[in-house]
Amino acid sequence: MSRGRIARWMLEEVGEPYDVRLVDWGAKSDEFLAVNPMGKVPTIVHQGRVVTECAAIVAYLADTFPDAGLAPTAAERADYYRWMFFAAGPIEAATTDRALGVTVSEEQKGMVGYGDPERLVATLKHAVTANDFIAGDRFTAADVYVGSHIGWGLQFGGLPKCDEFDAYLAKIMGRPAAVRAREIDDALIAEKAE
């Protein structure tokens, strides 16, 4: 039930071998905290370099493994970055606030990155219906990230259920890499519950 699921999906999309180290939420090791002092997952280490923050991990993997075809083309780049970081900022903040029951007053809307929650939802609905995928006519790493946030928002009540989100998720969640990633994570969750 963590953002690590986003990184797992992206790693499965990339298709390169990777090692996983599970982190105990209650007792993070000194070894892990030396890599990521924030103590948050996911964290990847590639060729001795540490990358944290899901949007950065997704973008990094897309750029580092270009043969996977998940990085944006020149024509897709503006939408790719726009929606990737819209998800990292306004969507994540708004869905988290809503799921936690945080209410932003009319006077405070100018202070939060998402502004008006209803306008955010309308903007996101338009984004997922304007093209076949979030950055254009093909699946990119931005779909991994944006789609994950939409799925999380729907699961925990941070986003309202609607046909636009359902149709978008139906296009991306059945991808073989997405299915594999869920199966791997669900098996690990079941194993830990035993």
Side-chain angles (χ1 to χ4, degrees):
M1 304 308 293
S2 82
R3 290 169 183 85
R5 288 172 87 89
I6 300 170
R8 164 93 65 201
W9 180 10
M10 186 60 186
L11 286 162
E12 289 296 317
E13 289 286 351
V14 166
E16 294 291 328
Y18 61 92
D19 295 321
V20 174
R21 305 248 167 69
L22 298 179
V23 175
D24 183 338
W25 282 107
K28 295 186 177 79
S29 71
D30 289 341
E31 178 187 7
F32 178 69
L33 292 173
V35 174
N36 185 351
M38 291 287 293
K40 303 284 284 179
V41 295
T43 298
I44 66 168
V45 179
H46 180 250
Q47 296 181 345
R49 302 297 301 194
V50 174
V51 184
T52 64
E53 310 314 315
C54 275
I57 290 168
V58 169
Y60 175 83
L61 291 171
D63 289 344
T64 302
F65 299 99
D67 291 346
L70 299 167
T73 64
E76 296 165 335
R77 193 167 289 123
D79 285 336
Y80 176 92
Y81 285 116
R82 177 186 182 187
W83 298 117
M84 176 90 74
F85 293 102
F86 185 76
I91 293 173
E92 182 165 355
T95 57
T96 300
D97 280 357
R98 186 168 173 186
L100 295 174
V102 174
T103 303
V104 176
S105 72
E106 198 61 41
E107 297 80 32
Q108 294 169 321
K109 286 182 179 178
M111 295 177 67
V112 293
Y114 57 85
D116 181 85
E118 290 75 28
R119 186 173 291 163
L120 176 131
V121 169
T123 300
L124 186 55
K125 284 181 183 180
H126 175 74
V128 299
T129 58
N131 298 297
D132 289 339
F133 295 96
I134 201 71
D137 63 0
R138 71 182 187 95
F139 181 88
T140 66
D143 292 293
V144 171
Y145 194 70
V146 173
S148 293
H149 276 283
I150 291 172
W152 187 88
L154 293 172
Q155 182 178 1
F156 292 101
L159 288 173
K161 296 191 180 300
C162 66
D163 293 342
E164 294 89 344
F165 296 157
D166 289 345
Y168 175 67
L169 291 177
K171 283 191 268 188
I172 64 171
M173 291 300 187
R175 291 177 59 82
V179 172
R180 277 193 314 276
R182 283 193 305 275
E183 289 172 349
I184 292 166
D185 286 333
D186 290 347
L188 287 170
I189 291 168
E191 182 180 305
K192 285 299 237 182
E194 295 175 351

